[in-house]
Amino acid sequence: MRRYFARKLLTYFLTFFVAVTLDWGIPRLMPGDPIAGLLSKFQLQPSSYAVLHSSYTRAFNLGEPLWRQYLDFWRALLHGSLGTSIYAYPDPVTTVIRHAVVFTLALLLPATVLSYLAGNKVGAIAARRKLLDDTVLPFSYVLTATPYQWLALLLAFVLASVAHVFPISGGFSYSLVPTLSWAFLWSLLTHWFLPFVTLFLVGFGGWAIGMRNLIIYELDADYAHFLESLGAPRRLVRKYAYKNARLPQLTGLALSLGTIVGGAVVTEIVFNYPGIGWLVLQAINSEDFFLLQGIFLFIIVGVLLANFVVDVVYVLVDPRTRIGLQEGTR
Amino acid sequence: MSLDVQNLVVAYRTLRGDVRAVDDVSFSVADGEIMGLAGESGCGKSTLGNSLVRLDRTMRCLGGRALLDGTELPLSDWDAMDDFRFKKVSLVPQYSMSALNPTRRIGKMISEVVRSRKIRYKDVLPELERRLRLVGLPTDVLAKYPIELSGGMKQRVVMVLTTLLDPSLLVADEVTSALDVSTQRAVGGMLVELRDMGIVTSTIVITHDLSVLVQVADSVVVMYAGKLVERAPTATVVDAPRHPYTKLLIASLPEVGVRYAEHVLAGIPGHPPSLLDPPKGCRFADRCPLASAECAVEPPLVELESGHFVACWKAS
């Protein structure tokens, strides 16, 4: 067991190293000059432009040779620093991400978990009731095949633009200053609702279809037929099928929980919701290497952690993996 | 008279029509008898055996009936059949290796199955443990997951579980097919022991392997294309078969001491007919070396001598 986890950890560290290196390199392959982008916000004389440009380039260490930048990047990273954001200059990247991550988590965590729970329940029921299967299944297929931005636009149009039930954009009303008041919380909640519903509905369709298909597969497995030949009631057969069908779903859940910190790019953009996904767009638009790196690093760590959790949880819930470990076959 | 099957017809529903995999088959199995059910793939032997315990949703019973100890089995009524399954009729499936739920400890699974049949697990546990020891398994297999057992061990667990409630009828479907020869012998021996100890009253052993039947069966039923073609005591079937199909089947078996490099193993040329639209008359006529004009009419099952039934115009 210990050897198994030691080997897993080694794999994770290697993956982390490679991913971080790519994370550092990819933004630098983007065409354009981030400092020029930053300075274009100011009205500058050509002479002061040149001075500012060289001083900013020095400040961000962009004049150094690449290998140097790379080493500096690792050194700063190990000290917990991701540099200064160009887009939100002069805020450090960690602060910018911290503000956005709160919105993203508040949005995606409930959307993912609730759609997982509801989708699995409904999918499992659909697998055994013809009528429900005939209605839920096509509905779920439509939902899961719906592009987020399309559903988001539809909801925004109907419920915000036309009916004025919900606000159309932002994380909270611009006329409010963030305080711990009922008015502010209410504003947060109403702004949160539409992006949440978008993510929930699309996710729900996928989970429901997955669970339904898995249950039907399990109900046709040999052990299910054997139980039937022993006269076991349907309740028991279904209980077993449900428990076994949950395992692949659980993997899916953990993986999507891992990518949560990456935010929901298109949905957040449609609703102008100030989460990580929206921040990605801002970082790209202003060629903010450091912010983009920081966000990607966040996603890398999230995915790796989630994978690790899946490994551990699987060992706990599925005897087949556990026994594989004891025999040292894995 | 333990099991009495009368004119049973079982069909699979397909888009192109009903496929009668078991067509008007009658036979009976006495108390304490082990009856072998033989024939090549697709002859309907598994369908026949399975329909007595678990008539699949894809199958339909189109006629006939099966009486067990004088009570008619409600073959087509899934829920009513549940009263008989496990307690009166039991099935050792073809897929014993994968018959146990992989994510449940074996003891836990058995306790849940037993309890779902309104029987207290505590009441059967001593007997369960005794029988596990009887087939040479340590009782701690109950604390294990199926993956921790070898194929042969799983097979034995499944056999102990299916016979736990002393069924009147046990259907063993190709139980030896996936095993090596020595394990085959052991499993065959178990079937005989289960009968000898009175745990199982009557047994139907389905197999395509006649040599297994020679070891365990008292009598043999040979099926061809959904029809029963010959039924006789095992020795008679082996030494003095009367139906041409049975004769060819026996002739296809390898013999000890014969070198088949020089002596090509016979086999039966041709294929069984499609059951979607079976030929009129004798279904074996196309492949039969003795076939003649009279075979265009279906031959009835005739008792040539006591206990020896044959459906062939050429046999009498």
Side-chain angles (χ1 to χ4, degrees):
Chain A
M1 188 78 99
R2 183 173 298 165
R3 255 192 61 206
Y4 169 77
F5 279 113
R7 240 165 64 190
K8 279 274 171 202
L9 274 179
L10 183 71
T11 321
Y12 281 120
F13 273 113
L14 274 177
T15 316
F16 179 73
F17 176 77
V18 172
V20 167
T21 304
L22 287 175
D23 175 28
W24 172 84
I26 287 175
R28 282 166 174 75
L29 294 176
M30 289 200 302
D33 176 3
I35 304 296
L38 174 66
L39 294 182
S40 67
K41 288 178 193 162
F42 314 126
Q43 308 286 318
L44 290 169
Q45 302 291 325
S47 57
S48 46
Y49 179 90
V51 174
L52 269 179
H53 192 283
S54 67
S55 89
Y56 268 118
T57 307
R58 254 200 318 282
F60 285 107
N61 277 337
L62 290 174
E64 304 272 351
L66 278 179
W67 62 270
R68 187 119 217 179
Q69 291 187 35
Y70 180 64
L71 289 184
D72 286 346
F73 169 69
W74 271 106
R75 191 172 309 133
L77 184 65
L78 295 177
H79 286 97
S81 160
L82 294 169
T84 308
S85 165
I86 299 175
Y87 153 73
Y89 188 80
D91 285 346
V93 166
T94 40
T95 315
V96 180
I97 291 179
R98 204 170 55 232
H99 287 314
V101 101
V102 177
F103 280 100
T104 278
L105 286 184
L107 182 62
L108 268 86
L109 206 59
T112 308
V113 172
L114 291 179
S115 68
Y116 173 82
L117 294 176
N120 277 341
K121 261 278 166 295
V122 172
I125 298 170
R128 57 185 197 236
R129 285 208 233 301
K130 185 92 179 72
L131 185 72
L132 210 58
D133 201 26
D134 289 344
T135 49
V136 166
L137 193 67
F139 181 64
S140 300
Y141 271 119
V142 169
L143 275 185
T144 193
T146 307
Y148 287 102
Q149 66 272 28
W150 187 82
L151 187 61
L153 286 172
L154 191 73
L155 288 174
F157 177 71
V158 174
L159 292 176
S161 252
V162 176
H164 295 290
V165 187
F166 291 99
I168 196 164
S169 121
F172 49 87
S173 170
Y174 295 119
S175 60
L176 289 173
V177 178
T179 45
L180 204 63
S181 65
W182 287 117
F184 182 67
L185 287 179
W186 179 248
S187 172
L188 277 180
L189 190 70
T190 48
H191 282 82
W192 168 86
F193 189 75
L194 284 185
F196 165 78
V197 169
T198 306
L199 295 168
F200 174 84
L201 283 179
V202 177
F204 171 86
W207 293 122
I209 291 169
M211 193 57 175
R212 176 229 177 231
N213 292 350
L214 281 165
I215 290 255
I216 286 178
Y217 173 80
E218 292 289 338
L219 283 177
D220 204 34
D222 287 342
Y223 70 84
H225 289 325
F226 182 57
L227 282 175
E228 287 173 354
S229 75
L230 292 175
R234 284 192 182 101
R235 199 162 29 82
L236 184 67
V237 182
R238 278 177 191 149
K239 184 176 133 191
Y240 280 9
Y242 182 68
K243 291 202 161 183
N244 290 346
R246 263 189 340 194
L247 295 173
Q249 292 285 86
L250 209 58
T251 315
L253 174 67
L255 289 180
S256 48
L257 282 179
T259 52
I260 269 188
V261 287
V265 179
V266 287
T267 310
E268 289 180 8
I269 290 170
V270 169
F271 290 104
N272 239 341
Y273 200 77
I276 294 279
W278 176 81
L279 203 57
V280 168
L281 182 70
Q282 309 309 316
I284 293 174
N285 278 342
S286 42
E287 293 177 53
D288 190 340
F289 293 175
F290 305 97
L291 185 55
L292 210 50
Q293 271 170 20
I295 294 171
F296 286 163
L297 188 75
F298 233 73
I299 300 173
I300 292 166
V301 172
V303 172
L304 288 181
L305 271 180
N307 269 294
F308 186 70
V309 170
V310 178
D311 280 341
V312 175
V313 168
Y314 237 80
V315 168
L316 295 179
V317 296
D318 191 341
R320 285 168 290 190
T321 45
R322 189 159 62 232
I323 283 140
L325 298 185
Q326 282 163 3
E327 286 164 359
T329 48
R330 282 184 53 170
Chain B
M1 187 67 58
S2 179
L3 176 74
D4 192 17
V5 174
Q6 300 167 355
N7 308 95
L8 190 67
V9 181
V10 180
Y12 288 95
R13 316 182 66 175
T14 73
L15 291 176
R16 289 191 292 162
D18 285 344
V19 174
R20 293 173 163 230
V22 175
D23 201 350
D24 198 13
V25 169
S26 305
F27 63 89
S28 55
V29 189
D31 281 345
E33 183 179 352
I34 297 183
M35 188 194 89
L37 195 51
E40 61 197 305
S41 294
C43 71
K45 57 189 190 308
S46 274
T47 307
L48 173 55
N50 277 294
S51 69
L52 295 176
V53 180
R54 183 182 170 280
L55 195 80
D56 208 280
R57 277 165 272 272
T58 57
M59 304 180 204
R60 252 189 332 160
C61 179
L62 294 182
R65 54 189 200 149
L67 300 168
L68 184 68
D69 300 328
T71 318
E72 183 172 349
L73 292 173
L75 298 180
S76 301
D77 186 338
W78 183 274
D79 292 326
M81 237 350 245
D82 270 347
D83 296 337
F84 291 88
R85 293 188 184 113
F86 200 13
K87 296 177 178 174
K88 291 280 174 202
V89 293
S90 224
L91 174 79
V92 186
Q94 211 162 355
Y95 47 79
S96 285
M97 308 297 152
S98 53
L100 301 166
N101 184 359
T103 58
R104 271 276 194 274
R105 290 180 198 280
I106 289 166
K108 174 105 174 131
M109 189 218 120
I110 296 179
S111 79
E112 284 177 338
V113 172
V114 166
R115 241 181 263 134
S116 79
R117 303 306 315 272
K118 309 271 184 296
I119 298 164
R120 285 176 53 188
Y121 184 53
K122 260 194 220 138
D123 296 345
V124 293
L125 186 59
E127 186 61 15
L128 175 62
E129 290 181 338
R130 190 180 77 85
R131 291 193 186 170
L132 284 174
R133 279 192 294 266
L134 212 65
V135 299
L137 289 172
T139 50
D140 66 4
V141 294
L142 293 178
K144 292 190 170 170
Y145 287 101
I147 193 177
E148 295 176 86
L149 272 55
S150 72
M153 289 166 89
K154 274 185 242 181
Q155 176 103 46
R156 278 177 278 170
V157 168
V158 167
M159 282 180 82
V160 166
L161 173 57
T162 46
T163 56
L164 186 62
L165 302 181
D166 299 352
S168 300
L169 173 69
L170 179 71
V171 179
D173 187 7
E174 297 280 11
V175 283
T176 56
S177 304
L179 304 172
D180 62 85
V181 224
S182 55
T183 324
Q184 266 185 20
R185 262 203 97 72
V187 169
M190 254 171 80
L191 288 171
V192 176
E193 261 174 64
L194 286 169
R195 186 264 316 264
D196 291 349
M197 288 187 296
I199 290 174
V200 174
T201 316
S202 313
T203 311
I204 296 180
V205 180
I206 301 168
T207 182
H208 61 270
D209 187 351
L210 285 168
S211 56
V212 171
L213 295 185
V214 173
Q215 183 202 347
V216 302
D218 304 311
S219 62
V220 173
V221 160
V222 180
M223 283 183 73
Y224 182 79
K227 291 279 184 188
L228 195 161
V229 295
E230 185 158 10
R231 163 146 174 62
T234 310
T236 313
V237 168
V238 174
D239 300 330
R242 297 293 291 274
H243 196 282
Y245 177 64
T246 319
K247 285 181 186 169
L248 286 167
L249 210 58
I250 300 285
S252 326
L253 288 176
E255 256 175 274
V256 178
V258 179
R259 292 177 62 91
Y260 289 97
E262 301 144 22
H263 212 73
V264 177
L265 212 50
I268 309 174
H271 297 282
S274 158
L275 294 180
L276 198 60
D277 185 21
K280 304 241 172 341
C282 176
R283 293 187 178 178
F284 188 58
D286 275 356
R287 300 166 79 186
C288 182
L290 307 178
S292 65
E294 58 185 333
C295 300
V297 179
E298 191 180 328
L301 193 67
V302 185
E303 187 162 16
L304 293 183
E305 50 196 273
S306 173
H308 191 171
F309 299 83
V310 181
C312 178
W313 294 116
K314 307 289 177 186
S316 42

